[in-house]
Amino acid sequence: QVQLEESGGGLVQPGGSLKLSCAASGDIISIPAMGWYRQAPGKERELVASITNAGGTSYTDSVKDRFTISRDYAKKTVYLQMNSLKDEDTAVYYCHAEFYYGRPHRYLELWGRGSLVTVSS
């Protein structure tokens, strides 16, 4: 069985920083891509940032130069460092990952349970 466990959400003032973590566990062969999505109240879920197995990254325009996605391959963990947070960054943040696992190899996509990030003074 493959699982994702998120941590790091919370309340922060505008201009502050938070770091989200998402750790994968299980009989994992490889993780082609990991990413973070968010869903604000009344809005659709959107991709915030993603990172491939080769280290390639992409960001939605609204977070470029403020958020940084990174991976610890040994720990099977993806991070999202969020700086200069704004009110409009308030949302539930979801980790997402693609896996090859088990023998024979199977493909799976998983979502984390979500971490609430609230930016407010």
Side-chain angles (χ1 to χ4, degrees), residues 4 6 22-23 34-37 78 93-97 110-112 114:
L4 290 175
E6 298 181 25
C22 176
M34 302 184 84
W36 292 95
Y37 288 70
V78 63
Y93 285 71
Y94 297 91
C95 176
H96 176 266
L110 275 184
W111 292 91

Side-chain angles (χ1 to χ4, degrees), residues 25-116:
S25 62
D27 186 17
I28 297 168
I29 305 302
S30 66
I31 308 177
M34 302 184 84
W36 292 95
Y37 288 70
R38 67 184 178 187
Q39 188 165 18
K43 295 188 177 181
E44 294 186 354
R45 191 174 296 189
E46 65 169 348
L47 176 63
V48 176
S50 63
I51 184 167
T52 68
N53 214 11
T57 59
S58 64
Y59 298 89
T60 192
D61 286 346
S62 63
V63 307
K64 284 180 181 177
D65 300 323
R66 298 189 299 122
F67 290 11
T68 303
I69 190 169
S70 60
R71 281 176 69 166
D72 184 322
Y73 293 87
K75 294 182 179 180
K76 299 184 180 66
T77 299
V78 63
Y79 305 96
L80 186 67
Q81 177 66 48
M82 304 183 290
N83 299 328
S84 303
L85 282 159
K86 305 176 181 179
D87 291 352
E88 51 264 41
D89 294 318
T90 295
V92 178
Y93 285 71
Y94 297 91
C95 176
H96 176 266
E98 302 172 11
F99 300 95
Y100 286 100
Y101 74 101
R103 294 167 180 80
H105 297 180
R106 299 178 183 178
Y107 176 78
L108 176 69
E109 292 187 43
L110 275 184
W111 292 91
R113 291 182 299 176
S115 298
L116 178 62

Side-chain angles (χ1 to χ4, degrees), residues 8 10-20 66-67 80-85 117 119:
L11 173 64
V12 63
Q13 292 186 340
S17 298
L18 276 178
K19 187 173 185 177
L20 303 179
R66 298 189 299 122
F67 290 11
L80 186 67
Q81 177 66 48
M82 304 183 290
N83 299 328
S84 303
L85 282 159
V117 172
V119 184

